[in-house]
Amino acid sequence: MSTRRVFSGIQPTADSFHLGNYLGAVRQWVALQEDRDAVYCVVNLHALTVPYDPEALRRRTRVAAAQLMAAGIDPERSILFLQSQVPEHAELTWVLSGVTGFGEASRMTQFKDKAAKTGADSASVGLFTYPVLMAADILLYQTDEVPVGEDQRQHLELSRTLAGRFNHRFGKTFVVPDAYILRAVGKITDLQDPVSKMSKTSSSPQGIIDLLDEPGVIRKKIARAVTDAESQVRADEENKPGVTNLLRIYSALASEPMDDIAARYGDSGYGTFKKDLAEIMVDTFAPIRERTMAILADPDGLEKVLANGADRARAIARETMTAVRDHAGLPGAPASG
Ligand code: TRP
């Protein structure tokens, strides 16, 4: 059997990935390169679905790509590219939108949640069709498996439905992709408010750890993380949400069971535990931060790497679009000459 192709995307919506992005996605993408044919995309078109600043988007798109490389995505072994550099994504979205039911799209819970936040009238049409663009991303590459978090399961299901429907109506065109639900690290919560999820939109800067935080900042944030009035290091979601969160983070970074860690620190107080956790985090993040900075210091080099990724992605995307146009009854662009 040939190597399975995986495709995944990440939005460039912040100036740094955060701890949750790293543990829940990026780190696992890196591992998947070992035995998969991996295609990874910075999905900057998805970022157009909410209000944004063009300069910030441009910067964040570059920083996202640099961080992925710095974290271990190898742009020679895998294909790493920017969604906007492969125009077939937008084109296939339109074709797929014709086989997507309005009701079906209306049932996407992520859209409903996001639209409820801004008020349904101010939500963009792009936010509504976001899952169709995501399906296009996946189907263009004849993807076998899509590594995503649990929150994307419904979108994945829609991609499968659209692939199957198109194939059924117009003839076999797409591989029907499987979800590859990434190992959940468990809920990583806000360091200052440990019952709320750590998130770029709702956490305060002190409550969230960014992949690009300086070592001194990481140490401070961990030292000041909210715990409780006891001094025992043990997991207890109910009564010790702060300590439990730190244990979970420690466990994920060190690949060590929470119970073992708790047993080791037990009654020695929170100080040593927090110090050690901060050092583990710094050991993991500082080299990624340094590599990211080095990559960003050479913009031409980065541009070349991404152009190469886009070329390789486009070769696959074009082939798929040729079949799509053919099956859907659309003449392609005439050969120019
Ligand atoms: N919607 C995904 C998320 O928020 C990002 C994404 C866009 C994606 N296109 C994709 C993920 C294609 C996997 C495959 O996480």
Side-chain angles (χ1 to χ4, degrees):
M1 212 175 84
S2 61
T3 314
R4 307 265 286 166
R5 171 161 298 150
V6 297
F7 179 99
S8 198
I10 193 159
Q11 285 204 59
T13 43
D15 283 311
S16 171
F17 293 140
H18 60 69
L19 177 65
N21 300 134
Y22 177 72
L23 294 175
V26 176
R27 188 175 71 162
Q28 299 184 58
W29 287 14
V30 172
L32 282 167
Q33 297 177 117
E34 294 303 323
D35 54 4
R36 305 287 207 289
D37 169 9
V39 183
Y40 295 130
C41 182
V42 177
V43 291
N44 52 349
L45 299 179
H46 279 97
L48 308 185
T49 59
V50 292
Y52 69 96
D53 170 61
E55 275 321 308
L57 178 62
R58 198 191 313 277
R59 182 182 70 242
R60 289 168 172 182
T61 302
R62 260 192 241 119
V63 177
Q67 282 178 97
L68 289 174
M69 287 161 59
I73 302 297
D74 176 353
E76 304 210 338
R77 192 181 340 178
S78 302
I79 296 179
L80 174 66
F81 74 106
L82 309 180
Q83 194 183 27
S84 63
Q85 294 193 314
V86 177
E88 284 76 9
H89 289 251
E91 187 181 9
L92 181 57
T93 300
W94 185 253
V95 176
L96 291 177
S97 72
V99 298
T100 309
F102 187 84
E104 190 168 54
S106 306
R107 284 192 290 276
M108 294 294 118
T109 56
Q110 189 164 344
F111 171 76
K112 288 196 277 186
D113 291 348
K114 288 189 182 173
K117 274 186 196 141
T118 54
D121 279 347
S122 57
S124 69
V125 171
L127 193 62
F128 185 68
T129 52
Y130 177 116
V132 185
L133 176 58
M134 178 164 162
D137 296 342
I138 296 164
L139 302 184
L140 271 179
Y141 299 94
Q142 307 295 354
T143 302
D144 298 300
E145 292 171 300
V146 186
V148 282
E150 181 62 41
D151 64 324
Q152 296 297 309
R153 195 188 276 280
Q154 193 188 30
H155 288 162
L156 229 290
E157 216 29 67
L158 180 69
S159 300
R160 290 169 52 81
T161 302
L162 298 183
R165 185 176 299 153
F166 192 98
N167 287 346
H168 182 73
R169 281 194 199 164
F170 302 117
K172 177 89 181 72
T173 311
F174 299 119
V175 167
V176 179
D178 290 325
Y180 177 102
I181 300 298
L182 294 165
R183 204 166 359 93
V185 187
K187 195 172 66 167
I188 304 279
T189 59
D190 189 321
L191 299 178
Q192 290 302 314
D193 174 19
V195 293
S196 311
K197 192 177 169 207
M198 184 185 285
S199 110
K200 71 177 189 308
T201 44
S202 58
S203 300
S204 70
Q206 295 314 310
I208 187 166
I209 302 256
D210 277 334
L211 194 51
L212 299 182
D213 275 343
E214 286 177 30
V217 171
I218 291 179
R219 291 192 182 102
K220 227 176 241 159
K221 285 180 180 175
I222 297 292
R224 293 180 187 167
V226 168
T227 49
D228 52 62
E230 292 183 11
S231 60
Q232 226 200 12
V233 178
R234 63 182 167 84
D236 178 346
E237 201 73 69
E238 191 82 343
N239 303 303
K240 299 167 74 71
V243 171
T244 307
N245 187 42
L246 296 179
L247 269 171
R248 191 173 285 127
I249 295 170
Y250 190 132
S251 162
L253 284 172
S255 305
E256 193 185 349
M258 295 220 302
D259 289 348
D260 294 4
I261 302 165
R264 192 162 65 247
Y265 290 98
D267 298 313
S268 64
Y270 296 150
T272 334
F273 169 61
K274 281 178 154 185
K275 257 205 196 86
D276 290 355
L277 169 57
E279 290 321 305
I280 291 171
M281 200 176 287
V282 166
D283 286 347
T284 310
F285 287 7
I288 298 178
R289 177 185 147 80
E290 277 157 32
R291 283 195 292 270
T292 302
M293 298 309 165
I295 293 165
L296 291 172
D298 174 18
D300 293 347
L302 176 57
E303 202 173 304
K304 269 200 202 105
V305 168
L306 293 174
N308 176 264
D311 279 347
R312 287 157 65 207
R314 205 163 180 204
I316 305 168
R318 275 215 179 100
E319 199 178 316
T320 300
M321 275 317 293
T322 300
V324 168
R325 288 201 206 92
D326 182 36
H327 297 172
L330 300 167
S336 54

